[in-house]
Amino acid sequence: MDQSEEKAGTPRVGVYLCHCGGNISDVVDIEGARNLLLKNSPAATVKDYPFMCSDPGQGLIIEDIRKNGIDRVVVAACSPALHELTFRNALQRAGLNAYLYEHVNIREQVSWVHKEHKDKATEKAVRLIRAGIEKVMRHDPLTVIQVNAEHHAVVIGAGPAGMKAALSLADRGIGVTLIEKDETPGGHLKELATVFPTAEEASVLLERFKAQVASRENISLLCGTRVTDIDGYVGNFTVKTDKGHVVKAGVIIIATGFRHYSPYGGEMAFQEASATVVTLPAFIKGLSEVSGRDGTPVFAGRVIKSIAFIHCVGSMQREGLHQPGPEGRLNDYCSRYCCAAVLHSINDLLDRFPSVQVYDVYKDIRTYGRGQEQYYEDASKKGVLFFRCSQDMDPSVTLKDGSCEISLKDVLTWNEEVVFQADLVVLATGMMPGELPELVDSLKLPLGSDGFLQEVHPKLRPVELANSGVFIAGTCQGPMTVPEACAAAEAAAVKASILLSSPMISLDPFVAEVDKELCTGCGLCMGECSYKGALALTEDDSGKKHARVNPALCKGCGACAAVCPHRAIAVAGWTLDQFDAMIDAITATINR
């Protein structure tokens, strides 16, 4: 039994202030805050330490719990995203319920944003910590939610990322159903001659992937199959397809890939049937088949003596300059891979046909990967002419007598107007989000403003969605190269395999709870809930309706609690009574 359950009366709260090595204490007066808290809060003890997350810092907390009767803990430190789990584990080691703890962020929310106002920063820290104390005093001991887990995974999409994820899961002893909408696996890898930036032959890489997938007895590959619906929750998903297969899975990895940006009719003089203005993917695919005539390349039956490459077509779009796509939004993001892919292709071309005159037209060049700046330097040494356009004006491309006339204002020569001719124009088109409406609707998947699937946190949880048990791999998340997509797939597979490492999955207990006595069954919460299956209306034996929560599907967002007129529903650990007490603590007078 937890110590908190053995005690009666007022909880004994211990408050622990972290200096964060000066990140906090250089702005917040720690000693002053400590004295104010002792005067203006019901805390039983207030202590500080240079690094509270360190072993000695945790030791202070553990000792107070074991020897001094502390049964609630408030830590005022950096973001809870960094060390909330650290301190929960410390409470557990001391024999206290891990959830009788509140983390107050006085680094990002105080010291880092109020460096010029130290007195007010200290007061703000005290008010936030008081709110944390009042909240934790009203905490109940919570228990993690346990759900059974199917020891099986579904990977949606059999491009390089999907196949890599399936192989990684299979190698960890997890059965995988790999679902691909096309008749053969490979995704966009099938379109390439070589893989950027490794220059490996795409066909060789693809055949190796296919052979490895075929050799794993615990991978079932379903091609020509679309996912039509997904139901259930982490550990217990049901995946339905258009072929009648129903697959049970504990986790799902989405690796549905991307779409190439397709220039609209007339953009940069592009036409689908024309061989004079082509996209970079088409050029890369055709480059492997290009023959030579007297040292000059022949592309689509035409002798090519000069080529102009134009960056950022379909990426970095600006309002008023570009037209929105069918989804009604601009692609204002950078597709990342395009710049280096253009320069890599230019070097490949010039290594084979050094007499070709190459022009590179760009607004910005971002060779972000390790060693990719060398592509730019090599291209410069090989005689490529670079023109930098203004951000406010695209270059103009006009077809004239079987060739192209390109005109632009060159920033590098103080906006001098430049006009030149080229036999071929290559448009560096960006990546766009893949089409996955069924998945978005079934799972209510989170999308970023760019339309790609949105991870929980780009650094701390880069391959996880807000939907528990659902992971993302590769370019469904954003533009990536093949190696980057495979690395993300490996990360997603590791995260998924951790979840399936035991027969039961543990989930945080911060979910909605219904007071059946207060609930009238009005259904307002049902209309507000964003998570399929998390809330349902049910009847008790007397026929009275009330809301029921599926804790495995609830995300604890609190939207239901906000609309309940009877305060009949609340999130465990974040009740309305706790919020009331926190507001009172923040606004109460501070006695000095």
Side-chain angles (χ1 to χ4, degrees):
M1 181 177 292
D2 293 323
Q3 290 184 18
S4 58
E5 296 173 278
E6 297 172 356
K7 297 179 181 295
T10 304
R12 287 179 54 78
V13 180
V15 177
Y16 303 90
L17 309 175
C18 183
H19 295 225
C20 199
N23 276 292
I24 293 172
S25 58
D26 286 350
V27 177
V28 175
D29 178 1
I30 297 293
E31 183 64 24
R34 181 176 175 275
N35 292 332
L36 288 174
L37 287 167
L38 288 171
K39 290 180 183 179
N40 292 272
S41 79
T45 185
V46 182
K47 296 181 178 179
D48 63 280
Y49 195 75
F51 292 99
M52 195 56 68
C53 61
S54 66
D55 287 342
Q58 294 177 55
L60 287 176
I61 299 171
I62 293 171
E63 183 178 22
D64 280 348
I65 293 171
R66 289 176 174 171
K67 296 182 179 180
N68 300 323
I70 294 300
D71 58 12
R72 301 287 194 281
V73 171
V74 173
V75 175
C78 58
S79 167
L82 294 175
H83 286 298
E84 190 170 42
L85 188 58
T86 300
F87 294 112
R88 280 188 197 164
N89 290 337
L91 265 64
Q92 280 187 314
R93 295 198 303 274
L96 191 66
N97 184 283
Y99 296 98
L100 295 175
Y101 156 75
E102 184 64 21
H103 196 107
V104 179
N105 183 351
I106 61 169
R107 188 178 72 176
E108 284 82 348
Q109 293 182 1
V110 180
S111 65
W112 280 4
V113 290
H114 302 299
K115 292 181 179 179
E116 307 302 321
H117 306 282
K118 296 185 177 182
D119 290 342
K120 291 183 178 180
T122 301
E123 180 179 326
K124 179 180 179 181
V126 170
R127 291 183 182 276
L128 291 176
I129 294 166
R130 286 200 310 186
I133 294 169
E134 293 297 332
K135 179 174 182 284
V136 80
M137 289 180 69
R138 291 158 178 80
H139 264 338
D140 292 321
L142 303 177
T143 305
V144 295
I145 299 165
Q146 297 278 343
V147 296
N148 292 317
E150 289 276 349
H151 197 68
H152 193 83
V154 165
V155 178
I156 304 173
M163 289 189 285
K164 181 65 175 179
L167 289 167
S168 183
L169 287 166
D171 290 344
R172 289 173 169 82
I174 297 170
V176 182
T177 299
L178 179 58
I179 301 174
E180 171 56 48
K181 62 180 174 55
D182 291 341
E183 294 301 324
T184 57
H188 292 289
L189 195 59
K190 293 179 289 188
E191 304 168 357
L192 301 177
T194 60
V195 174
F196 171 81
T198 63
E200 184 177 5
E201 288 189 28
S203 60
V204 173
L205 178 61
L206 177 55
E207 290 306 315
R208 185 164 68 245
F209 266 134
K210 289 164 66 175
Q212 290 174 338
V213 168
S215 70
R216 303 301 198 275
E217 293 183 357
N218 53 353
I219 297 180
S220 174
L221 174 61
L222 306 178
C223 288
T225 305
R226 287 182 175 270
V227 172
T228 56
D229 188 45
I230 299 176
D231 205 357
Y233 48 89
V234 58
N236 294 271
F237 291 109
T238 300
V239 180
K240 298 178 182 178
T241 73
D242 60 355
K243 296 296 179 63
H245 304 295
V246 177
V247 184
K248 297 283 188 179
V251 295
I252 294 171
I253 294 180
I254 299 175
T256 48
F258 71 97
R259 291 177 291 153
H260 289 296
Y261 175 79
S262 180
Y264 56 85
E267 183 181 13
M268 301 286 182
F270 176 80
Q271 299 293 336
E272 288 287 347
S274 171
T276 308
V277 180
V278 300
T279 64
L280 179 62
F283 177 77
I284 292 173
K285 184 177 181 181
L287 186 59
S288 63
E289 304 167 359
V290 166
S291 60
R293 185 181 301 167
D294 298 326
T296 304
V298 178
F299 188 91
R302 298 172 59 242
V303 175
I304 305 297
K305 295 183 178 180
S306 57
I307 303 179
F309 290 81
I310 300 178
H311 291 242
C312 298
V313 178
S315 299
M316 305 294 287
Q317 293 180 328
R318 302 183 63 171
E319 188 173 355
L321 183 61
H322 302 99
Q323 78 176 39
E327 299 85 1
R329 63 171 176 265
L330 294 169
N331 299 334
D332 56 0
Y333 53 85
C334 172
S335 281
R336 301 175 72 247
Y337 80 99
C338 320
C339 289
V342 165
L343 295 172
H344 182 269
S345 298
I346 288 173
N347 283 310
D348 189 14
L349 171 72
L350 292 177
D351 285 342
R352 296 172 57 193
F353 305 103
S355 64
V356 175
Q357 177 60 62
V358 175
Y359 306 96
D360 186 294
V361 180
Y362 70 97
K363 292 182 178 178
D364 282 309
I365 289 183
R366 300 179 178 180
T367 48
Y368 65 93
R370 184 176 183 179
Q372 291 181 5
E373 185 69 13
Q374 190 64 42
Y375 299 151
Y376 175 80
E377 293 184 13
D378 290 346
S380 298
K381 292 175 182 177
K382 292 172 184 175
V384 176
L385 292 180
F386 290 90
F387 299 103
R388 184 174 188 179
C389 292
S390 165
Q391 295 285 350
D392 300 320
M393 184 180 298
D394 283 339
S396 171
V397 180
T398 307
L399 297 180
K400 285 191 174 182
D401 300 324
S403 64
C404 301
E405 182 177 278
I406 300 96
S407 61
L408 57 98
K409 287 188 177 180
D410 180 29
V411 174
L412 301 178
T413 53
W414 299 276
N415 290 324
E416 180 181 352
E417 188 165 348
V418 176
V419 180
F420 61 91
Q421 302 253 330
D423 296 324
L424 178 67
V425 169
V426 178
L427 307 179
T429 51
M431 291 184 180
M432 292 183 63
E435 296 177 338
L436 59 168
E438 297 87 357
L439 298 182
V440 172
D441 292 342
S442 294
L443 293 171
K444 295 185 182 289
L445 297 178
L447 299 176
S449 59
D450 55 8
F452 289 96
L453 292 176
Q454 181 71 57
E455 71 281 352
V456 174
H457 192 284
K459 292 184 178 179
L460 302 178
R461 298 173 66 186
V463 294
E464 299 174 62
L465 295 179
N467 312 60
S468 296
V470 183
F471 304 89
I472 47 179
T475 52
C476 63
Q477 181 181 8
M480 298 181 187
T481 64
V482 171
E484 289 170 339
C486 289
E490 184 77 23
V494 169
K495 281 286 187 179
S497 62
I498 290 171
L499 270 185
L500 300 183
S501 60
S502 64
M504 303 288 288
I505 295 175
S506 297
L507 304 175
D508 273 342
F510 303 117
V511 298
E513 296 177 335
V514 177
D515 185 331
K516 296 180 183 178
E517 297 300 318
L518 296 177
C519 182
T520 63
C522 67
L524 286 175
C525 56
M526 296 283 296
E528 202 66 25
C529 182
S530 299
Y531 299 96
K532 180 182 176 182
L535 274 176
L537 285 180
T538 187
E539 291 185 2
D540 58 22
D541 295 338
S542 66
K544 180 188 175 184
K545 287 186 176 181
H546 61 82
R548 177 178 56 81
V549 177
N550 183 329
L553 290 171
C554 178
K555 301 302 173 189
C557 68
C560 54
V563 297
C564 180
H566 307 291
R567 295 171 73 109
I569 191 166
V571 176
W574 291 93
T575 65
L576 295 175
D577 289 342
Q578 287 176 305
F579 278 116
D580 290 342
M582 292 172 73
I583 292 170
D584 290 342
I586 288 172
T587 58
T589 302
I590 293 179
N591 297 314
R592 302 199 178 263

